Amino acid sequence: MSNPIPLAARILKVNHAGEQGAVSIYAGQILMARLTAKGLVAQLESFKSHEERHRAIFLAELTRRGVRRCKSYWLCAIGGYGLGVLTGLLGARAIAQTTLAVERVVLRHLQQQMVQLKDDAAALAAVVAIIGEEQEHHDLAAGHVQTGGPWARLLETTVSAATESVIWLGMRI
């Protein structure tokens, strides 16, 4: 059975929920980084403010279209906060590895969305508006990640799979 909500609206809903997840990840990481990675707190606060702005961009577009937020919104919020607290407890490398894993998935999806949304200028503009900052988060996190062993690969694989799963679920509910 196909989803009756237009593709652009589903993408915007999932992106909005994903931005809530990102805000929550950073909130949890900031809380714990005050103990485990003080040198990253300012950067995490900056990233969180970017994600709050991204969330507002998608919310504004959903509101303009009269579309309700994604059913996965609270899953993203709660799961993101838990992930943020856990990786924040593990320290700077885990924080950076998590950001890198999430942003790799997000950037790949945003690139796909630019093609999918070519006929919807407003939705495309919302996606394009956030790509630069998402790329910045990726690149700065990559600078903190050292070539990892099995633990780093496990964390990256787990976070990437969880991110992909939430996006997949959000597009279907």
Side-chain angles (χ1 to χ4, degrees):
M1 181 165 97
S2 65
N3 195 326
I5 300 171
L7 178 62
R10 288 196 328 259
I11 287 171
L12 292 166
K13 288 171 69 144
V14 170
N15 288 0
H16 175 249
E19 296 301 337
Q20 177 57 39
V23 167
S24 298
I25 290 170
Y26 289 127
Q29 288 179 337
I30 290 166
L31 178 69
M32 294 298 112
R34 293 185 195 290
L35 302 172
T36 64
K38 291 178 184 165
L40 286 181
V41 170
Q43 185 177 69
L44 293 170
E45 288 173 340
S46 174
F47 288 1
K48 182 175 174 272
S49 72
H50 294 164
E51 303 297 357
E52 289 167 341
R53 188 177 68 76
H54 301 170
R55 182 183 59 194
I57 288 169
F58 291 119
L59 179 59
E61 190 55 29
L62 289 174
T63 301
R64 187 183 75 77
R65 293 167 186 253
V67 175
R68 294 171 49 166
R69 70 176 174 220
C70 190
K71 292 177 183 175
S72 69
Y73 183 87
W74 291 111
L75 171 66
C76 292
I78 295 165
Y81 192 76
L83 178 62
V85 167
L86 176 63
T87 58
L89 278 171
L90 296 173
R93 290 179 66 188
I95 290 169
Q97 194 74 44
T98 298
T99 299
L100 187 63
V102 169
E103 295 298 359
R104 278 187 183 149
V105 171
V106 168
L107 287 165
R108 186 173 55 251
H109 279 275
L110 293 174
Q111 292 297 326
Q112 292 168 352
Q113 290 171 7
M114 287 175 48
V115 173
Q116 294 171 312
L117 297 172
K118 68 182 184 307
D119 296 328
D120 188 324
L124 179 59
V127 168
V128 169
I130 73 165
I131 288 179
E133 288 174 338
E134 300 293 5
Q135 186 69 54
E136 176 187 351
H137 301 173
H138 172 277
D139 295 348
L140 289 171
H144 293 291
V145 172
Q146 300 166 355
T147 304
W151 181 88
R153 284 192 299 277
L154 176 63
L155 179 60
E156 182 174 350
T157 300
T158 302
V159 170
S160 293
T163 304
E164 288 283 1
S165 297
V166 170
I167 292 169
W168 180 88
L169 179 65
M171 289 298 289
R172 283 156 183 78
I173 60 173

